[in-house]
Structure formats: C-alpha cells, structure tokens
Amino acid sequence: MAYRRCGFRYEKKLRIIGVSRIAGIDEAGRGALAGPVVAAAAILPEKFRHRRLNDSKQLASELREEIYGELTSNTEIRWTVGIVDSIEIDRINILRASHRAMRVAIESLLEPPEHVLIDGLPVIPFPLPQTAIIDGDCISLSIAAASVIAKVTRDRIMRDFCAQFPQYCFSQHKGYGTELHLLKLHEFGPCPIHRRSFEPVAQPLLALDEIVQIRSSPARRARRETSVPIPEA
C-alpha cells in the first residue's frame, strides 16, 4: 500500500461545508490483558502543522512523549481523555468500554465539537455526527493527535501500576499479551488490574501452552538460527 502522509483531507472537506470545530478521537489499550482503556479527543487549529505527528504505534516511545508534550502544551489545541478501568471493562465488555471512554473524552471538552473523526469503525450510538476512517490515525492529523495523547496517557498509567505490582513488569509490556506478561501471569496469577473476562487471564495455563508451542515451532527455530529478532506480540 502506498504511503499516505498524515494530513487534513477529511477536515478540509468538512470545513468546506461550514463545519469548523472538528475533533479527532482514538483509543489505546483495547487489546491489553490488564489496565484501563483510554480514549482521547483532540481539536486542532486549522493552520496546525507537524512534520513528525503520525499514528502513535508508528512512533518510538521517546518521540511519542516529545510530541505529546508539544500537543498538550499548545494552547490552541483542545484535548481531553476518557478512562474506563478494568472492572468496568469486565462488566460491560471491551467494545462498550472503548466507546464509553470515547464518549467521556468528547463530553469532557469545554466546547463540544460539531463533528468527530473516529479511527476505525462507526461508534453507535454516539452523541455527535461522526466520520469513521479505517486507519484514520495514519490519515488524519486530528486522529493522530488523539492517538498520541491516548497512548502516552495510558503508558504512564501502566508505569504507575508497575510501581504497585512490580512482579508483572507492566512498564515493559503495558499490559499487552506479550510472552513476558503471559509468563508472569502464569507465575503469579492475576492482580487487581487484570481483565478477568479475557481468556488468557481466566485460563493462564492455556496461554502458557501457546508460549511453549511457539517456542518449539519449526518456524521459530529457523528464525533463531538465522539470528532474526523475534518481535513480541
């Protein structure tokens, strides 16, 4: 797929028809096994420019932190976050929790937007007109800004949890189902911020079996023999 520079093409289309306050919204932590899901909303000024802003997943952590500081200290940018914890995630399911976090973020803005650009699929119901954009965090600067704010906010929360529960190494994997996290989960069992409704948490032995299978697979052995780094899930 050809590389598309993150820009304002969707925002410009809306401004042409008279919509001026446009918020990008994105979430972080939907696929994690522990910790909250965090959504952020960001309204950027029309003449905003940033050469390095992109989908938070494509940015190194140090650069994400730097861009986060630039975004949140810019007085022309309106931004908020919505946070739904693991208890609520287990109670209502992760999809509903993600949507709730998005609504909280939007409703927390002092001046509500007229239209919302959402990364991924439409959110129904939603209190405002919306445009859902697949891979929107790579296309819309408004969504990309929300992506960075949500990701850095959640990473900081998980580092704080690491101080409370150091045995799980949350600062390294941020609660996602990496090999390290699954090994710690098997060793210590779930802690208060684990999502009990997620199968690897409810059945850690199954998760451990998957690790054993991956380690012993021919493809894994071949990759080790050629010294190719093995990324964590």
Side-chain angles (χ1 to χ4, degrees):
M1 185 175 68
Y3 174 76
R4 293 174 295 183
R5 189 172 185 80
C6 210
F8 272 144
R9 58 183 66 87
Y10 282 88
E11 290 87 339
K12 286 177 179 176
K13 289 178 182 178
L14 288 166
R15 290 191 177 107
I16 287 172
I17 60 173
V19 179
S20 58
R21 283 196 314 281
I22 305 157
I25 191 165
D26 199 9
E27 52 77 25
R30 182 179 293 194
L33 305 181
V37 61
V38 176
I43 302 177
L44 304 179
E46 184 174 355
K47 296 188 182 299
F48 176 83
R49 297 291 182 271
H50 201 295
R51 289 186 174 275
R52 299 180 297 172
L53 177 57
N54 205 333
D55 169 19
S56 64
K57 296 185 293 296
Q58 298 186 26
L59 303 173
S61 58
E62 296 82 3
L63 181 55
R64 270 200 310 266
E65 288 278 352
E66 183 181 338
I67 294 174
Y68 172 90
E70 294 169 357
L71 295 173
T72 56
S73 63
N74 186 333
T75 57
E76 293 187 275
I77 296 175
R78 301 289 178 264
W79 64 275
T80 57
V81 296
I83 301 171
V84 175
D85 66 21
S86 56
I87 295 174
E88 188 71 357
I89 290 170
D90 285 337
R91 191 179 74 82
I92 65 175
N93 80 44
I94 184 59
L95 181 60
R96 290 179 180 175
S98 298
H99 292 175
R100 177 168 294 183
M102 291 179 180
R103 288 191 291 270
V104 169
I106 285 294
E107 291 164 0
S108 301
L109 287 165
L110 293 178
E111 190 174 15
E114 301 165 87
H115 197 98
V116 175
L117 302 177
I118 297 177
D119 181 47
L121 300 175
V123 176
I124 301 173
F126 202 75
L128 293 167
Q130 62 178 292
T131 299
I133 308 169
I134 301 297
D135 295 329
D137 45 10
C138 303
I139 298 170
S140 162
L141 280 171
S142 300
I143 297 177
S147 171
V148 168
I149 292 171
K151 174 64 175 168
V152 172
T153 298
R154 188 178 185 278
D155 284 356
R156 291 179 176 184
I157 291 172
M158 295 309 294
R159 285 197 291 269
D160 289 342
F161 277 132
C162 191
Q164 289 183 249
F165 309 105
Q167 67 270 35
Y168 296 96
C169 306
F170 285 130
S171 62
Q172 295 184 47
H173 51 71
K174 310 302 187 296
Y176 286 93
T178 65
E179 183 175 313
L180 172 63
H181 188 187
L182 293 174
L183 288 169
K184 296 297 183 181
L185 183 61
H186 172 69
E187 183 177 359
F188 299 106
C191 74
I193 68 163
H194 276 102
R195 302 174 183 177
R196 307 302 175 105
S197 57
F198 282 43
E199 186 175 275
V201 177
Q203 302 185 63
L205 284 176
L206 291 180
L208 188 66
D209 288 342
E210 291 177 3
I211 292 175
V212 171
Q213 291 172 10
I214 291 171
R215 283 180 166 175
S216 60
S217 71
R220 181 85 172 205
R221 290 197 299 271
R223 292 171 73 182
R224 282 182 173 169
E225 288 167 2
T226 56
S227 301
V228 176
I230 303 168
E232 293 181 331

